[in-house]
Amino acid sequence: MSSTAYMLNGFDVANTHKVEPHMQELIAQRAKRLGPSYKLFYEHPVHFVRADGVYLYDSNGTPYLDVYNNVPSVGHCHPRVVEAVTRQMSTLNSHTRYLNEGILSYAEQLLSTFPQEMSNVMFTCTGSESVDLAMRVARFNTKGTGFIVTRNAYHGITASVAEISPTMGPHVPVGQHVRMVKAPDAYRTAPGVDVDTEFAQEVERAINELERHGIRFAGMIVDTVFSTDGLFPHPAGFLRKAVDVVHQRGGLFIADEVQPGFARLGDSMWGFQRHNILPDMAVMGKPMGNGLPIAAVVAKPELLVEFGNKVRYFNTFGGNSVCIAAAQAVLDVIMDEKLQDNSKNMGAYILKGLRELTAGHSGVGDVRGSGLYLAVEFVKDKQTKEPDGEFALKLVNALRENRVLISATGPAGNSLKIRPPLPFTRENSDEFLDIFKMTLEQIS
């Protein structure tokens, strides 16, 4: 079986002999020291040695435009983040069992971006830990164990969270107390059918199935832009009916904001706000510290009262002083540099450009997105809408050869995942659109 199994856009180690000699040695050392679980991107991997802003540089000093990486949300090596981390690391780095002003100041500012009903935050190190914690809180409060997720969801890598991440593949089984629903895909929804109504009916069906098997419903968790399902941000508001069903049936709704959060979607700070819904909990991760390990669960306080008093929860590194400093700097940069507005404006500019330059392409079925999170979906036939993952992957790798980093998403891997750092400029956008146009013509 290929080493790229169950990973879109993965490098097959069987092709190591095709890459440059110095990279062959690095790949061999990875296999020897790290084992087979660590995958590389692209048919032709890249060796990066430094980064700055929206560019990564290979060992020859060649710049690559980053149109994919949401972890350094405010740009690679942002000087304000670097300075904050350096200063804090030389002053104090400790856990949350000692009093410290930094964590309180950051918590207050972070919570101010949420509805007032969500006024407690618990810090972790990763998005996976945050989802794991939110699941524990949901089970504690509902006394249920059953969860609903979408069919190609990804929520993390811990044992319990992998069970609600179907995209991990058949060798990571979905949990027995988990039910999957079809993602709300407006592009493929039948004419005359409302996306919100159809999704709510899917959720109701899944809850009924859980109960028929004697499983008490605990909650539903979704990435509020459905990133791994193919990126479905529209129409805004389609989640409301489904969330109403969850609450009517006694469950909790968890908004996974690891991908759409921190101003990425332009219209709002958090993905759930575009749907005018109030989650019981929201989880966040990767972009929070621009690459440093900090994540969180924001919750309604009533969910944590009994849980906090009866369940011993402590995370040694969750909310440590250095990572809090990084997170504070990231939030300050988002606010001070007006990156939510930039995400909205540059996203609209790129979306318009992509629609114009793909208008005559027979294989482009849909171009969609919100803010700086966009998708171009490729199909074999516009009538049947049969996915064309092969062409999308070919384009991803061709763009890499033209020094643009991008990837794919969706069950068939047929949609480009366009997700640049938030400070993306008009000049960066034009560079991307020009290279995209050239590359699309090359392989078409």
Side-chain angles (χ1 to χ4, degrees):
M1 181 177 292
S2 169
S3 65
T4 62
Y6 314 119
M7 175 180 163
L8 291 175
N9 187 32
F11 172 66
D12 190 339
V13 293
N15 294 324
T16 300
H17 64 284
K18 297 180 181 180
V19 305
E20 296 91 329
H22 79 282
M23 292 177 63
Q24 290 182 26
E25 177 60 25
L26 287 174
I27 293 169
Q29 288 298 318
R30 280 173 62 96
K32 182 177 180 180
R33 307 299 181 194
L34 306 181
S37 289
Y38 286 82
K39 313 297 183 189
L40 290 164
F41 277 144
Y42 304 112
E43 292 177 357
H44 181 189
V46 198
H47 175 204
F48 289 125
V49 297
R50 70 181 184 93
D52 181 45
V54 300
Y55 292 95
L56 293 97
Y57 296 83
D58 68 14
S59 53
N60 296 316
T62 305
Y64 287 69
L65 182 65
D66 192 347
V67 193
Y68 175 69
N69 199 341
N70 75 321
V71 178
S73 56
V74 297
H76 295 274
C77 304
H78 193 290
R80 288 180 64 178
V81 180
V82 172
E83 191 278 331
V85 169
T86 303
R87 183 179 66 250
Q88 186 61 50
M89 189 172 288
S90 65
T91 305
L92 171 72
N93 189 20
S94 188
H95 52 66
T96 57
R97 284 183 167 166
Y98 300 128
L99 290 171
N100 184 266
E101 294 86 356
I103 191 171
L104 300 177
S105 175
Y106 175 69
E108 181 178 13
Q109 188 176 348
L110 177 68
L111 290 169
S112 72
T113 67
F114 281 85
Q116 61 181 4
E117 295 90 341
M118 304 176 72
S119 59
N120 277 184
V121 57
M122 298 179 75
F123 293 103
T124 67
C125 297
T126 68
S128 296
E129 288 183 353
S130 292
V131 175
D132 190 284
L133 176 57
M135 291 174 67
R136 290 175 62 190
V137 172
R139 286 172 172 152
F140 181 89
N141 279 274
T142 64
K143 312 307 178 189
T145 58
F147 279 94
I148 294 172
V149 297
T150 50
R151 289 180 186 166
N152 205 56
Y154 173 77
H155 295 291
I157 57 171
T158 66
S160 62
V161 180
E163 289 188 348
I164 63 166
S165 300
T167 193
M168 297 283 283
H171 296 293
V172 183
V174 173
Q176 294 181 356
H177 288 209
V178 178
R179 294 297 181 273
M180 297 179 289
V181 295
K182 183 175 68 173
D185 181 355
Y187 174 56
R188 286 183 169 75
T189 298
V193 177
D194 293 330
V195 178
D196 51 354
T197 300
E198 184 179 53
F199 188 58
Q201 290 171 345
E202 281 272 299
V203 172
E204 186 98 52
R205 174 196 59 76
I207 296 172
N208 290 338
E209 185 178 335
L210 283 168
E211 293 183 348
R212 277 199 302 270
H213 288 81
I215 300 170
R216 188 167 183 170
F217 179 46
M220 178 174 76
I221 178 169
V222 298
D223 162 0
T224 50
V225 78
F226 300 89
S227 306
T228 53
D229 288 288
L231 188 64
F232 305 126
H234 299 300
F238 67 72
L239 272 175
R240 287 199 300 269
K241 288 184 179 180
V243 173
D244 286 344
V245 169
V246 169
H247 288 148
Q248 289 162 9
R249 300 296 293 270
L252 300 181
F253 174 64
I254 303 168
D256 186 338
E257 295 288 339
V258 173
Q259 297 277 342
F262 287 101
R264 176 154 296 280
L265 302 184
D267 292 334
S268 56
M269 185 69 168
W270 306 105
F272 68 81
Q273 291 171 327
R274 297 181 66 253
H275 296 284
N276 194 27
I277 56 178
L278 178 64
D280 298 287
M281 289 176 279
V283 296
M284 59 211 71
K286 300 170 186 174
M288 190 172 182
N290 221 48
L292 270 76
I294 184 168
V297 179
V298 171
K300 295 178 178 178
E302 58 268 27
L303 297 176
L304 302 181
V305 174
E306 191 176 4
F307 179 85
N309 287 325
K310 291 184 177 180
V311 178
R312 183 176 181 269
Y313 179 80
F314 173 65
N315 188 321
T316 303
F317 297 108
N320 73 76
S321 313
V322 170
C323 288
I324 285 289
Q328 181 69 68
V330 167
L331 197 52
D332 289 343
V333 168
I334 289 174
M335 300 302 182
D336 295 348
E337 297 184 10
K338 296 179 171 56
L339 293 186
Q340 183 178 321
D341 289 341
N342 188 69
S343 180
K344 182 176 183 177
N345 296 333
M346 286 303 100
Y349 180 76
I350 297 171
L351 186 64
K352 181 175 182 289
L354 287 170
R355 285 175 172 166
E356 289 175 352
L357 66 87
T358 61
H361 196 286
S362 61
V364 175
D366 193 31
V367 181
R368 55 183 177 266
S370 179
L372 286 174
Y373 212 156
L374 309 161
V376 178
E377 179 163 353
F378 291 93
V379 293
K380 295 180 180 179
D381 184 286
K382 289 190 176 184
Q383 298 302 313
T384 65
K385 300 180 181 179
E386 181 185 355
D388 193 350
E390 183 179 349
F391 185 87
L393 188 60
K394 185 177 180 181
L395 181 57
V396 165
N397 281 284
L399 283 166
R400 173 259 176 266
E401 296 302 323
N402 288 328
R403 310 297 186 262
V404 168
L405 303 174
I406 203 167
S407 195
T409 186
N414 65 308
S415 294
L416 296 187
K417 182 187 286 187
I418 303 167
R419 187 184 56 180
L422 298 180
F424 222 60
T425 65
R426 177 76 171 262
E427 182 181 18
N428 301 145
S429 301
D430 285 336
E431 180 182 0
F432 166 62
L433 290 169
D434 289 344
I435 297 175
F436 183 92
K437 182 176 185 293
M438 176 189 70
T439 309
L440 188 62
E441 290 171 351
Q442 285 176 345
I443 70 170
S444 295

